[in-house]
Amino acid sequence: MATVGQIIFFTLVTLNVLLAAFIVLILTLAFSKSTSKVVSSNTKPVANLGEDQILSCYVSAESQPNRLGEVSVSWEKTDLGTVYRYENRAPALDGQASAFKGRAQVFPDAVAIGNASLLLRSVRSSDEGEYTCTIRSSVAHGTVSIQLRTAVFSVPTLKFSNSILTSEASSWFPKPDVTWLNQTGNELNANTSFTERSPGIYSLLSSLQSAKVSETYSCRIENSLVVAVTEATISGSGVLGRTFFTFSVASTQLVSFYLNIITSVLCMFYVV
Ligand SMILES: *[C@@H]1O[C@H](CO)[C@@H](O)[C@H](O)[C@H]1NC(C)=O
């Protein structure tokens, strides 16, 4: 018969072993992540529907030896299967999902030096989802996941007449919000109207009253995926506008999830 002391002792030992295993697992995950040989310059790209998109995937420079040897590439999409394969210096498209026929390619010269980035032509909303890129060669091997999102966005056209500055954009999806700021960053009142051109896709016209010559205004068109900031400077002869796009990156939820795991591991450790 085990005494109460022995039971407590063995329970503690078991708990410690489990914890140690758990910590080793976490460290292994973190370590394998940081030394992963295959990487992407953008794992959460946002494609503009109807336009071409590059999905980035390559052997990272630090882990790349001078000679890669023969390189083979495989692009898969979680729900549809094979997007594109490249083996023995040629496309290998036997099992390619029909959705990608004639729309996908890698760049053979780039593949030879470890860059397996995929060009996807004329992006559709069904292209949205998770892709994995696998690069294999005699000296390097790795996989990276890429989450493709789709949106519709366009550069607005600016006009100025009778003290009214207007910003007009032909197509946005999801439906955006429009805000105007003056040079000091204060929000200005403006009227914005939307027209649904096709299901879910909107054109917009936003007008700012009593705008002044030689002032600079900033028009921000923003939805959950894309932000377009247009800096508009009014001069005697018209409006000069420059538009910058930024895209939403990894979900903040995932980041906080990781932090939570780490925090709880530390707490358990201190309790034991
Ligand atoms: C990989 O190739 C693509 C397509 O040519 C190019 O856009 C990208 O900049 C390349 N990436 C690297 C890291 O060389």
Side-chain angles (χ1 to χ4, degrees):
M1 271 285 281
T3 65
V4 176
Q6 278 172 324
I7 290 173
I8 292 176
F9 177 75
F10 283 116
T11 311
L12 281 181
V13 167
T14 315
L15 267 180
N16 265 318
V17 167
L18 281 177
L19 258 178
F22 188 56
I23 289 166
V24 166
L25 181 74
I26 295 269
L27 287 179
T28 314
L29 281 177
F31 188 69
S32 68
K33 222 173 177 151
S34 66
T35 60
S36 151
K37 283 181 175 165
V38 172
V39 295
S40 173
S41 63
N42 186 0
T43 57
K44 305 255 172 184
V46 178
N48 205 351
L49 288 175
E51 293 186 3
D52 299 349
Q53 178 72 37
I54 286 197
L55 303 186
S56 157
C57 170
Y58 56 93
V59 178
S60 72
E62 308 94 77
S63 65
Q64 182 165 3
N66 290 333
R67 277 195 46 76
L68 275 173
E70 200 72 36
V71 179
S72 74
V73 175
S74 163
W75 277 93
E76 306 282 327
K77 184 165 189 275
T78 313
D79 54 346
L80 294 176
T82 303
V83 177
Y84 196 86
R85 285 209 178 132
Y86 189 87
E87 287 158 7
N88 303 318
R89 299 186 205 180
L93 304 178
D94 285 352
Q96 189 183 37
S98 56
F100 297 106
K101 288 219 156 68
R103 300 177 52 228
Q105 69 162 88
V106 293
F107 301 86
D109 292 347
V111 169
I113 54 169
N115 181 348
S117 296
L118 183 83
L119 172 66
L120 189 56
R121 288 207 187 77
S122 185
V123 170
R124 314 162 175 172
S125 44
S126 55
D127 293 336
E128 196 158 305
E130 190 177 330
Y131 292 75
T132 54
C133 164
T134 305
I135 301 179
R136 279 191 199 84
S137 88
S138 46
V139 289
H141 180 152
T143 293
V144 66
S145 295
I146 290 161
Q147 192 75 36
L148 179 66
R149 284 93 45 91
T150 60
V152 178
F153 46 94
S154 57
V155 176
T157 308
L158 297 159
K159 290 197 183 98
F160 178 69
S161 75
N162 302 323
S163 308
I164 300 174
L165 178 61
T166 58
S167 172
E168 192 170 7
S170 59
S171 29
W172 274 76
F173 165 82
K175 190 178 181 179
D177 290 323
V178 181
T179 46
W180 289 84
L181 302 177
N182 64 13
Q183 236 158 335
T184 50
N186 295 322
E187 191 168 338
L188 304 169
N189 282 325
N191 293 318
T192 303
S193 60
F194 294 92
T195 309
E196 194 166 5
R197 293 175 51 237
S198 51
I201 302 181
Y202 293 86
S203 66
L204 64 90
L205 175 65
S206 185
S207 31
L208 183 70
Q209 312 289 325
S210 48
K212 296 187 191 73
V213 173
S214 81
E215 289 278 322
T216 295
Y217 298 92
S218 155
C219 173
R220 185 181 170 96
I221 307 175
E222 169 171 21
N223 62 26
S224 54
L225 297 170
V226 186
V227 182
V229 174
T230 304
E231 300 284 342
T233 303
I234 305 174
S235 70
S237 52
V239 204
L240 189 70
R242 286 180 308 165
T243 301
F244 303 93
F245 286 99
T246 48
F247 302 96
S248 96
V249 285
S251 71
T252 47
Q253 277 163 356
L254 194 66
V255 172
S256 57
F257 175 66
Y258 267 111
L259 283 180
N260 279 336
I261 286 189
I262 288 166
T263 319
S264 39
V265 167
L266 289 179
C267 291
M268 282 161 74
F269 200 72
Y270 283 125
V271 168
V272 169

